[in-house]
């Protein structure tokens, strides 16, 4: 342990030290937000290896993202040294299982060079299966059928387990079986299979199963609240010989039920392991005291949570600002103002995050940030590896690695265009079915047969010879050299260059970036003493997730859904759209749905370290509907002593004001309506006194001025408009005239707080 970070007890609080020192038997750690769970896991692993002499290769630590696994390994490098941490099994569920399957592939009927199909590949396989089954895709869409198949597999079920309750279940069972058959024929796995194959081996009585159960003496699972049934059965089986299973998680942060996460697993851990030691980490090190109290106030009403009290020794810090805006554009303007103010303090854009409940909210926020020239990134947006040109090159590589992968061959059979049309592909498919072979083998067979005409046969012959030549070259080429050769010999580079467009240039640049990433991979593998192979590179790419997309091109403000924010932390968080029907989301109609929405709110709040803003609007246009807004019940749960209410100038300009905590109304009494916990659409009745119902604003490019084209009239008063005059507009509120233009249709350029400058016809303005 010399020259390494010492296992110093003062670095751990009593609860953390208790979890670290536990050695034998099951351990359940409830780790509240910001309570140092990663430190506990890494110190626990270091303690096992350094103090109790557990062989590093017998320790398995699994988590859900490559980023979390990388951080865990980085910390262990400092604690025990890279030469020891290198032998530890640390990774995501899928990465660990992929590694195990390379060793036990024959036991599950796979060749060692099996490929891992991504979502697009899987949909293509399902689509072909449904076509062969002569199923109407209008009734059974491939995406929906694939989703049902995933649900079955996440519960560990096979096609034979699908209950035949009527025609739809019968079709699902048939499609499921056909999908599995095609995966096996292609020597391929989907992500569920990686776990299922290893789980079934570990639970079985084969020699491989016994070896798997004896392989690890200690199994640690991070983010245990997000595990599904297959993941739980897998780690339980792997730890069955020693029962040294350590589960670390927080039921208050279980937010992935839609993708199989089952909060009942962590809550029921003690039923399966009644002798489990239970430790609760309740001290938050991340956030100010006000943020911690706010988070606890939001999660406290949950009905079935494990009792725990999050606390912190940090200072109270700034009050939480609950911001009342007029609408989504006013909300976006406030976000921009706060971002600029934070940057003016010398903070990095990386310190700021903007959260929203659904992706649809991001458009207005993006437009506002672009218009202000503020740098931002969408976390969880289109990934680099999802781009068409990247997937094309990867499909070439996967065909060369595994010629039985029909999905990949179908993707590149006519890319770039080489005159092989759908009819030729269909005939190749008939040859493959007749011979019981892959499409690649059908290419070879069709060259000498009479299944194709003369012209198609020449094109197929050229494709086969090109791929066969590349396959031979693959044996002695690095992945980067092979990729460059593919781009040249396939004509892909020339195809893009011939387009001579900005889009084609960008695609060429992306391909260059991919080849560069292969070179970096080769350097990393050689430095680690590992064999560089095409299969290992393709495996890394297949396991790449959106959470691993780097912070490219400098610091940026992060925009993301709350789901994507899990595991992250920021100095300043702006949580937008805190209204009923949006957060909690309107589709959350059952008790379990509402409980998860509350947990989602808790997660969002606990991402903030120093500053937290929650915004809600009086009206919002979303999904093509303009509706009045009611503050989220989570806003009303906040402790009033820790909150400052803020009303934007645009909201004040129309007389709106908070009337009591968590509610808002229009000034003026009489006809003003307080918000009383129910939403009503502006399509049914006006939201504001003496104001026409709001309507969706036409889309416009950033910076483009919007000209009011309403047909209704407003009294423009007796005053004469001139530069500096104060005017009122029904939608934009009060503003200051910057310029007046005459002519047949007189207009004025007016600056409205929260909206910027707008050119408005005079008949729609009145003197304020």
């Amino acid at each position: 342990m010399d020259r390494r970070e010492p296992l110093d007890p003062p670095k751990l609080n009593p609860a953390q030290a208790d979890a670290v020192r536990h050695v034998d038997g099951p351990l359940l750690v409830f780790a509240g937000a910001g309570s140092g769970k990663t430190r506990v896991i890494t110190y626990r692993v270091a303690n096992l290896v350094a103090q109790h002499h557990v062989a590093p290769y017998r320790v398995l630590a699994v988590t859900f993202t490559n980023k979390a696994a990388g951080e865990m390994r980085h910390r262990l490098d400092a604690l025990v040294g890279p030469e020891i941490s290198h032998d530890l099994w640390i990774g995501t569920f899928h990465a660990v299982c992929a590694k195990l399957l390379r060793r036990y592939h024959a036991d599950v009927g796979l060749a060692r060079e099996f490929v891992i199909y991504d979502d697009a590949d899987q949909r293509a396989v399902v689509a072909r299966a449904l076509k062969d089954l002569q199923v109407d895709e209008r009734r059974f869409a491939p995406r929906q059928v694939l989703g049902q198949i995933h649900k079955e597999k996440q519960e560990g079920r096979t096609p034979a387990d699908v209950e035949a309750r009527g025609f739809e279940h019968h079709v699902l069972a048939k499609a499921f079986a056909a999908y599995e058959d095609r995966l096996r024929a292609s020597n391929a796995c989907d992500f569920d299979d990686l776990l299922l194959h290893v789980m079934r081996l570990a639970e079985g009585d084969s020699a491989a199963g016994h070896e798997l159960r004896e392989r690890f003496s200690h199994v640690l699972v991070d983010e245990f609240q997000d595990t599904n049934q297959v993941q739980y059965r897998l780690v339980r089986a792997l730890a069955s010989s020693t029962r040294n299973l350590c589960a670390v998680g927080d039921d208050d942060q279980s937010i992935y039920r839609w993708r199989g996460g089952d909060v009942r697993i962590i809550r029921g851990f003690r039923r399966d392991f009644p002798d489990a030691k239970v430790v609760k980490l309740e001290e938050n090190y991340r956030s100010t005291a006000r943020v911690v109290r706010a988070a606890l106030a939001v999660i406290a009403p949950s009905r079935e949570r494990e009792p725990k009290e999050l606390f912190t020794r940090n200072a109270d810090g700034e009050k939480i600002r609950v911001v009342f805006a007029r609408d989504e554009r006013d909300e976006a303007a406030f976000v921009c103002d706060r971002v600029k103010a934070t940057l003016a303090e010398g903070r990095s854009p990386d310190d700021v995050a903007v959260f929203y409940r659904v992706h649809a909210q991001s458009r207005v926020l993006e437009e506002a940030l672009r218009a202000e020239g503020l740098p931002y990134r969408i976390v969880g947006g289109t990934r680099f590896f999802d781009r068409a040109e990247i997937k094309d090159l990867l499909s070439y590589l996967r065909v060369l690695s595994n010629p039985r992968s029909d999905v990949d061959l179908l993707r590149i059979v006519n890319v770039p265009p080489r005159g092989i049309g759908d009819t030729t592909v269909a005939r190749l498919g008939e040859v493959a079915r007749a011979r019981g072979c892959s499409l690649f083998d059908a290419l070879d067979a069709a060259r000498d047969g009479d299944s194709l005409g003369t012209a198609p046969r020449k094109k197929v012959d050229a494709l086969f010879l090109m791929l066969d030549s590349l396959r031979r070259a693959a044996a002695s080429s690095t992945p980067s050299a092979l990729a460059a050769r593919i781009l040249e010999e396939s004509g892909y580079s020339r195809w893009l260059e011939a387009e001579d467009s900005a889009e084609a240039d960008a695609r060429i640049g992306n391909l260059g970036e991919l080849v560069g990433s292969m070179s970096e991979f080769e350097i990393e593998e050689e430095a680690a003493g590992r064999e560089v192979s095409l299969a290992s590179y393709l495996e890394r790419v297949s396991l790449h997730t959106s959470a691993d997309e780097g912070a490219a091109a400098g610091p940026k403000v992060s925009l993301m859904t709350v789901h994507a924010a899990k595991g992250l932390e920021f100095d300043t968080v702006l949580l937008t759209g805190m209204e009923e029907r949006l957060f909690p989301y309107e589709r959350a109609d059952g008790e379990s749905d509402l409980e998860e929405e509350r947990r989602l709110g808790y997660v969002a709040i606990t991402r903030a370290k120093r500053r937290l803003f929650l915004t809600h609007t009086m009206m919002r246009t979303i999904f093509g509907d303009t509706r009045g807004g009611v503050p989220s019940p989570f806003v009303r749960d906040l402790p009033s002593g820790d909150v400052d209410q803020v009303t934007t100038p645009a909201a004040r300009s129309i007389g709106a004001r908070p009337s009591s905590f968590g509610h808002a109304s229009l000034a003026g009494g009489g006809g003003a309506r307080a918000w009383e916990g129910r939403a009503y659409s502006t399509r049914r009745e006006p939201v504001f006194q003496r104001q026409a119902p709001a309507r969706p604003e036409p889309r416009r490019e950033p910076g483009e001025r919007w000209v009011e084209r309403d047909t209704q009239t407003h009294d423009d008063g007796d005053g004469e408009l001139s530069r500096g005059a104060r005017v009122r507009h029904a939608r934009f509120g009060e503003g200051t005239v910057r310029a007046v233009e005459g002519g047949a249709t007189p207009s004025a350029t007016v600056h409205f707080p929260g909206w910027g400058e707008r050119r408005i016809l005079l008949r729609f303005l009145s003197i304020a």
Side-chain angles (χ1 to χ4, degrees):
M1 294 293 293
D2 59 317
R3 294 184 295 107
R4 312 298 177 200
E5 183 179 340
L7 293 177
D8 186 4
K11 289 181 177 292
L12 303 171
N13 67 35
Q16 291 173 335
D18 196 17
V20 166
R21 294 192 185 105
H22 179 80
V23 178
D24 296 318
L27 171 66
L28 175 60
V29 180
F30 283 103
S35 62
K37 68 178 178 61
T38 304
R39 167 170 287 188
V40 166
I41 294 173
T42 53
Y43 268 70
R44 178 171 165 76
V45 170
N47 187 58
L48 291 171
V49 173
Q51 305 297 330
H52 298 277
H53 309 294
V54 176
Y57 61 83
R58 300 209 67 205
V59 177
L60 169 64
V62 292
T63 186
F64 279 82
T65 68
N66 291 325
K67 179 181 177 182
E71 181 182 355
M72 199 179 296
R73 187 174 293 280
H74 177 73
R75 293 195 187 191
L76 282 163
D77 283 347
L79 287 172
V80 300
E83 66 280 1
I84 294 177
S85 70
H86 177 270
D87 292 332
L88 295 165
W89 282 68
I90 300 174
T92 64
F93 275 98
H94 295 103
V96 166
C97 287
K99 187 176 178 181
L100 289 171
L101 271 186
R102 295 296 173 191
R103 302 189 181 194
Y104 298 103
H105 58 90
D107 296 279
V108 298
L110 291 171
R112 193 178 190 281
E113 69 276 10
F114 68 85
V115 295
I116 304 168
Y117 280 175
D118 65 12
D119 293 342
D121 300 327
Q122 295 163 28
R123 285 196 299 273
V125 173
V126 169
R128 291 188 67 200
L130 292 174
K131 185 175 182 180
D132 289 347
L133 292 171
Q134 298 182 335
V135 173
D136 184 359
E137 289 191 11
R138 291 172 297 182
R139 182 173 178 185
F140 298 94
R143 184 185 297 273
Q144 294 174 336
V145 172
L146 180 62
Q148 290 298 318
I149 290 173
H150 284 321
K151 287 183 180 179
E152 298 294 335
K153 296 179 84 165
Q154 287 168 1
E155 294 293 327
R157 292 192 283 265
T158 66
D161 297 323
V162 178
E163 299 180 23
R165 297 195 306 261
F167 177 66
E168 290 189 0
H169 286 82
H170 176 71
V171 171
L172 174 60
K174 290 286 188 184
F176 190 177
Y179 172 75
E180 296 288 87
D181 289 343
R182 287 184 177 276
L183 288 181
R184 282 192 293 271
S186 297
N187 189 36
C189 293
D190 61 19
F191 287 97
D192 293 326
D193 287 331
L194 295 176
L195 277 62
L196 281 167
H197 285 319
V198 178
M199 180 201 78
R200 288 167 180 156
L201 277 180
E203 290 183 339
D205 292 328
S206 66
H210 286 288
E211 187 176 322
L212 276 170
R213 290 191 293 275
E214 295 296 328
R215 175 175 286 275
F216 304 110
S217 64
H218 288 80
V219 177
L220 301 89
V221 186
D222 190 16
E223 304 288 4
F224 192 72
Q225 75 281 348
D226 295 329
T227 53
N228 60 32
Q229 290 295 330
V230 168
Q231 291 162 340
Y232 178 46
R233 287 172 58 184
L234 169 65
V235 295
R236 186 175 61 185
L238 291 175
S240 58
S241 64
T242 64
R243 299 183 75 251
N244 292 333
L245 176 59
C246 171
V248 182
D250 181 9
D251 60 326
D252 289 339
Q253 297 184 69
S254 177
I255 59 174
Y256 295 121
R257 189 161 64 98
W258 52 275
R259 71 180 189 194
D262 191 345
V263 70
R264 296 173 298 179
I265 293 174
I266 188 171
R267 289 173 177 167
F269 187 85
R270 282 167 289 190
R271 288 196 297 270
D272 289 348
F273 297 94
D275 58 331
K277 179 179 180 63
V278 178
V279 176
K280 295 182 181 181
L281 308 181
E282 298 173 303
E283 182 172 0
N284 178 288
Y285 293 94
R286 173 191 301 155
S287 307
T288 66
R290 293 191 194 278
V291 170
V292 169
R293 288 195 292 265
L296 198 58
V298 168
I299 198 63
S302 295
R303 296 186 177 184
E304 298 181 5
R305 63 186 293 261
E306 175 72 20
K308 46 187 140 15
E309 291 295 324
L310 199 67
F311 72 95
T312 185
R313 302 178 200 275
N314 295 335
D316 275 355
E318 298 181 17
K319 283 194 173 184
I320 296 162
R321 264 65 65 95
V322 174
V323 181
F324 175 41
R326 178 172 50 196
D327 53 24
E328 72 279 2
R329 293 190 178 277
D330 186 30
E331 176 183 63
F334 174 83
V335 167
C336 289
D337 287 345
R338 287 313 313 169
V339 169
K340 287 188 286 187
T342 303
L343 300 186
E345 296 174 352
R347 292 275 178 177
S348 167
D350 285 338
D351 291 334
V352 184
V354 183
F355 298 163
Y356 37 82
R357 177 61 182 83
V358 294
H359 285 292
Q361 293 172 253
S362 71
R363 180 183 64 83
V364 175
L365 292 165
E366 284 192 74
E367 288 179 353
L369 289 165
R370 280 201 304 269
E372 295 289 345
L374 295 169
Y376 71 92
R377 69 171 64 87
I378 298 290
V379 177
T382 301
R383 295 191 301 143
F384 177 80
F385 287 96
D386 287 337
R387 299 178 188 276
E389 63 275 12
I390 301 302
K391 291 179 70 65
D392 289 342
L393 180 51
L394 291 176
S395 284
Y396 271 103
L397 291 167
R398 295 204 298 187
V399 166
L400 301 183
S401 175
N402 177 28
R404 291 161 56 188
S405 180
D406 288 355
V407 166
D408 290 304
L409 183 56
L410 284 170
R411 181 178 183 91
I412 53 93
V413 69
N414 199 42
V415 178
R418 51 177 60 95
I420 300 178
D422 292 342
T423 301
T424 301
V425 172
R427 289 176 180 170
L428 289 171
E430 293 171 3
V431 172
R433 284 190 290 274
R435 292 173 173 259
C437 65
S438 68
L439 277 176
F440 187 88
D441 291 333
L443 283 178
D444 192 15
R447 297 164 61 216
D448 300 320
D450 57 1
S451 57
L452 302 176
T454 302
R457 187 162 56 247
K458 288 182 179 179
K459 294 166 184 173
V460 166
D461 182 68
L463 174 62
F464 178 83
L465 291 176
M466 185 262 292
L467 291 175
D468 191 56
S469 172
L470 289 169
R471 280 193 70 204
R472 290 195 299 271
S476 57
S477 298
T478 62
S480 60
L482 181 62
R485 185 167 176 174
I486 289 170
L487 293 174
E488 178 62 29
E489 294 189 14
S490 69
Y492 202 103
S493 292
R494 293 190 299 277
W495 175 50
L496 291 179
E497 289 167 359
E499 284 190 18
D500 193 23
S501 67
E503 181 180 359
D505 290 344
R507 296 176 69 185
I508 292 171
N510 290 335
L511 289 168
E513 184 72 14
L514 179 62
V515 175
S517 75
M518 293 178 184
S519 298
E520 293 173 2
F521 165 78
E522 292 157 11
I523 294 171
E524 292 172 5
E525 292 295 281
E526 290 173 353
R530 293 188 289 267
E531 179 185 359
V532 175
S533 69
L534 177 58
S536 59
Y537 175 76
L538 292 174
E539 181 173 301
R540 172 180 285 196
V541 170
S542 295
L543 297 172
H544 196 88
T545 68
S546 60
D548 305 310
E549 293 296 333
K556 297 180 180 180
V557 175
S558 296
L559 272 64
M560 68 191 80
T561 64
V562 180
H563 281 102
K566 180 71 186 311
L568 304 177
E569 59 182 46
F570 301 91
D571 175 82
T572 299
V573 167
L574 296 111
L575 178 53
T576 64
M578 293 301 293
E579 298 134 34
E580 287 189 2
R581 301 175 63 191
L582 195 53
F583 201 172
Y585 193 47
E586 57 189 343
R587 292 180 184 172
D589 52 3
E591 185 64 32
S592 58
D593 289 338
L594 290 172
E595 288 284 289
E596 181 151 325
E597 290 290 307
R598 185 171 289 281
R599 296 194 294 270
L600 196 58
Y602 173 82
V603 166
I605 291 172
T606 53
R607 300 310 95 192
K609 293 195 288 187
R610 190 170 65 96
R611 281 179 178 161
L612 176 63
F613 300 85
L614 292 84
T615 66
H616 60 96
T617 64
M618 177 163 274
M619 63 179 178
R620 182 180 299 275
T621 299
I622 191 168
F623 309 128
D625 181 28
T626 300
R627 60 199 189 191
V630 177
S632 166
F634 306 152
V635 171
R636 300 196 291 268
D637 287 336
L638 298 175
S640 58
D642 291 320
V643 172
D644 271 343
Q645 295 186 78
V646 177
T647 303
T648 66
R652 285 198 304 271
S653 71
I654 54 175
R657 69 170 191 272
S659 59
S660 62
F661 187 64
H663 293 74
S665 68
L666 286 172
R673 303 186 59 146
W675 291 351
E676 297 174 349
R678 67 182 185 90
Y680 53 93
S681 171
T682 57
R683 292 182 175 181
R684 293 196 292 272
E685 60 183 311
V687 176
F688 307 127
Q689 282 186 298
R690 299 176 16 245
Q691 180 177 322
R695 55 181 174 76
E697 181 180 336
R699 288 201 62 172
R700 63 189 188 283
E701 295 302 316
E704 178 185 348
R705 292 175 179 174
W706 184 67
V707 179
E708 178 67 70
R709 301 184 185 278
D710 205 337
T711 57
Q712 69 185 48
T713 60
H714 289 266
D715 178 16
D716 59 6
D718 297 325
E720 181 178 349
L721 290 183
S722 60
R723 181 179 176 84
R726 296 289 295 173
V727 294
R728 180 186 293 276
H729 181 268
R731 177 170 175 80
F732 302 127
E734 289 189 8
T736 303
V737 175
R738 296 289 172 82
V740 179
E741 300 176 19
T745 55
S747 63
T749 299
V750 184
H751 179 269
F752 296 98
W755 292 87
E757 290 188 358
R758 297 289 188 272
R759 186 165 65 88
I760 307 293
L761 298 180
L762 293 190
R763 69 175 184 271
F764 297 114
L765 298 173
S766 60
I767 299 296

